[in-house]
Amino acid sequence: VYVQVNRPEPEGPQGQRGVMSESDSAPDASTKAGFFQMTLNELKRIVAEDGGKNELAAYIVLCNGVNGRQHKRYCTHGAKSVMSRTGMGYRIAQQAIDWLEMHKFISKPGPDDPKHLGRGQSRNLEVRHVIADNAPDVAVSRQFLDGVRGGTTPPMKHLLAEVNGTDTIPRPQAVTDAILLFATLMKEQDFGEWGGVNPDAWFQRFTHIQPGEMTRQGEELLTDAVQPVDGVNGVLVTVKEAPDTGSFMPFMRNAIGESAIPDDEVAQRFWHALAELQRLHLAYRALVLWQGDPLNPKKRRNSEPIATLYINDAWARRFDPFIQYDVNRLWWRSHSTDYFDDFTSDGDPQYQGTGRYRYIVRTDSVNTTMVVGQLRVRYWPANESTVAGRKIEQRRTLKWQQDLSGLVRN
């Protein structure tokens, strides 16, 4: 589909291409860090039983102390571990553990349970609790609790201390909502299958621009949504976020564990929790290019992500590959004689920040290709399925980068 464009490379700022290397991926994907598992319904049950942020945090830390090789969820962590990984005082940590035991989220080991776990020097790991859940369904990197070696405050401790409340959402409630939303998004995330969080749970729809409409900067847009690319068997498509992306109230209620409060309060708490996760670099938005329509229930099974177009987070652009910059450069080479017609002195496209995004597809694929805004969550587990999904996502996006660089695509 894409043939080489015989134009010189532009002189001037090159822009950054989002290619993840093994060393770059360390904050999220270190296999040495390992992962732990927790149960989303147990987190929600804690809230339903009037538990708060301390009880949620204690449960998560105790799940981190489980030896996954045992037939039961034996935990070797106690109040000291909760204190060191959350920042709460020892007495508060013990009270949170006592609350979990009183409400049967955990129990003390019985006479038939082992007293210690481990081998050799680690044989002295005392079994302190048995976690009641038997089917954990959310896996998270241990770096979420322990941090990155040589890094700053561990993410969990940072979340508990730095999430802000509002005039209508008390800070403890905001922290609780953020924890539940983080776990819910992590459960719904699959890089290989969906390119991030399942768009069936949450998405942003994009649509073709219209000539004559205004950008966010108040400038009139005169270009067509679909334009031919000189020297390439394809077209440039420019899209914007659609004003109406649908209702997510069922997912919002599920994400914050509420069923009896008004819709407007649910929405307010959900959007605040998401904004806080994004501010703390625990979640971010990606624009994913799809073949087919994953937002249509009747067409979803025949749809698949084909590349990451853009990452709406400067930090995450260092780790996830994307093709937006390559699209910009191919478009420049195909039609412009002056680099600064399309790029700023920093190498960013002139239209960046206008709310518009561009991609290049075959002429006959315009109506079957679409952009979907999706969420991604950091501190994903380095388990087999997630690592495989990350590799799938990276391969397909890097393949598009190569094609857009001038290779022939059959």
Side-chain angles (χ1 to χ4, degrees):
V1 176
Y2 301 110
V3 296
Q4 186 169 353
V5 181
N6 295 317
R7 290 181 180 269
E9 287 297 315
E11 296 179 1
Q14 298 297 305
Q16 180 182 359
R17 179 178 294 182
V19 180
M20 182 180 69
S21 69
E22 289 298 321
S23 59
D24 287 339
S25 65
D28 282 322
S30 173
T31 55
K32 294 181 180 179
F35 63 93
F36 67 96
Q37 294 178 295
M38 55 188 178
T39 304
L40 182 57
N41 281 340
E42 290 294 271
L43 291 171
K44 294 178 181 178
R45 192 163 71 89
I46 290 172
V47 175
E49 295 281 350
D50 294 325
K53 59 183 180 63
N54 290 342
E55 289 71 33
L56 287 172
Y59 166 78
I60 292 172
V61 173
L62 294 185
C63 286
N64 183 53
V66 168
N67 186 323
R69 297 183 180 89
Q70 304 296 319
H71 69 284
K72 292 175 69 173
R73 299 255 289 160
Y74 295 124
C75 171
T76 58
H77 282 1
K80 185 176 179 180
S81 294
V82 172
M83 177 184 69
S84 65
R85 288 171 170 82
T86 64
M88 68 179 77
Y90 184 89
R91 185 180 65 172
I92 302 301
Q94 187 60 59
Q95 288 176 350
I97 292 174
D98 292 342
W99 186 95
L100 292 173
E101 183 177 346
M102 181 175 66
H103 289 80
K104 303 187 184 308
F105 291 93
I106 61 175
S107 63
K108 287 185 169 58
D112 296 330
D113 293 322
K115 304 301 181 185
H116 296 83
L117 296 178
R119 298 176 180 177
Q121 294 182 350
S122 63
R123 179 64 183 169
N124 61 346
L125 293 175
E126 179 185 354
V127 176
R128 299 174 183 272
H129 312 284
V130 181
I131 309 294
D133 56 344
N134 294 317
D137 55 5
V138 180
V140 183
S141 169
R142 292 191 189 278
Q143 290 178 338
F144 178 65
L145 292 175
D146 298 332
V148 180
R149 180 176 298 179
T152 56
T153 305
M156 180 66 175
K157 186 181 291 187
H158 192 56
L159 184 156
L160 291 169
E162 297 299 330
V163 165
N164 295 321
T166 70
D167 291 340
T168 57
I169 305 174
R171 203 190 85 82
Q173 182 67 68
V175 175
T176 295
D177 291 344
I179 292 173
L180 287 181
L181 179 56
F182 175 80
T184 303
L185 294 175
M186 188 68 78
K187 182 180 178 181
E188 294 287 344
Q189 181 164 258
D190 189 307
F191 291 98
E193 193 70 22
W194 301 315
V197 173
N198 188 350
D200 190 39
W202 188 94
F203 66 85
Q204 289 175 313
R205 190 187 300 274
F206 283 75
T207 186
H208 289 186
I209 62 168
Q210 298 297 321
E213 68 182 37
M214 306 299 288
T215 70
R216 291 175 182 171
Q217 285 73 22
E219 299 173 349
E220 187 175 3
L221 203 62
L222 300 177
T223 57
D224 294 326
V226 180
Q227 303 176 73
V229 183
D230 294 343
V232 175
N233 182 19
V235 292
L236 179 82
V237 182
T238 305
V239 296
K240 64 175 182 177
E241 186 178 333
D244 181 17
T245 58
S247 172
F248 306 102
M249 189 52 59
F251 177 72
M252 289 178 176
R253 286 190 181 277
N254 179 56
I256 65 172
E258 290 286 1
S259 60
I261 63 176
D263 286 357
D264 58 347
E265 184 178 342
V266 171
Q268 183 183 41
R269 284 171 51 182
F270 173 87
W271 290 118
H272 179 68
L274 179 56
E276 290 298 279
L277 290 179
Q278 291 176 308
R279 182 176 65 84
L280 298 178
H281 298 296
L282 293 173
Y284 56 96
R285 187 179 73 159
L287 304 189
V288 182
L289 205 59
W290 282 76
Q291 185 69 39
D293 185 356
L295 309 184
N296 186 328
K298 295 182 178 180
K299 299 180 179 180
R300 184 175 300 139
R301 293 184 181 278
N302 293 318
S303 305
E304 65 175 353
I306 52 179
T308 296
L309 176 64
Y310 191 64
I311 308 294
N312 296 97
D313 183 277
W315 191 95
R317 283 197 292 272
R318 296 164 51 199
F319 307 105
D320 290 352
F322 60 95
I323 64 173
Q324 183 69 100
Y325 291 161
D326 301 270
V327 170
N328 298 336
R329 303 190 70 71
L330 181 55
W331 176 244
W332 178 86
R333 292 201 306 263
S334 72
H335 86 287
S336 179
T337 57
D338 184 356
Y339 180 87
F340 294 101
D341 284 348
D342 284 283
F343 295 92
T344 68
S345 59
D346 294 327
D348 297 325
Q350 292 284 3
Y351 71 91
Q352 185 163 303
T354 65
R356 273 65 182 170
Y357 300 89
R358 306 190 296 195
Y359 58 93
I360 294 174
V361 293
R362 290 185 323 216
T363 305
D364 59 1
S365 297
V366 171
N367 295 326
T368 58
T369 306
M370 63 184 296
V371 174
V372 179
Q374 296 171 230
L375 293 173
R376 290 180 179 175
V377 194
R378 287 191 61 209
Y379 298 101
W380 42 269
N383 54 17
E384 183 177 357
S385 61
T386 306
V387 170
R390 291 284 295 185
K391 289 181 178 178
I392 291 171
E393 164 56 26
Q394 186 178 30
R395 276 199 304 270
R396 63 191 173 211
T397 299
L398 293 178
K399 177 68 165 59
W400 272 69
Q401 285 184 339
Q402 293 171 357
D403 292 340
L404 291 171
S405 296
L407 298 178
V408 176
R409 187 178 181 189
N410 297 321

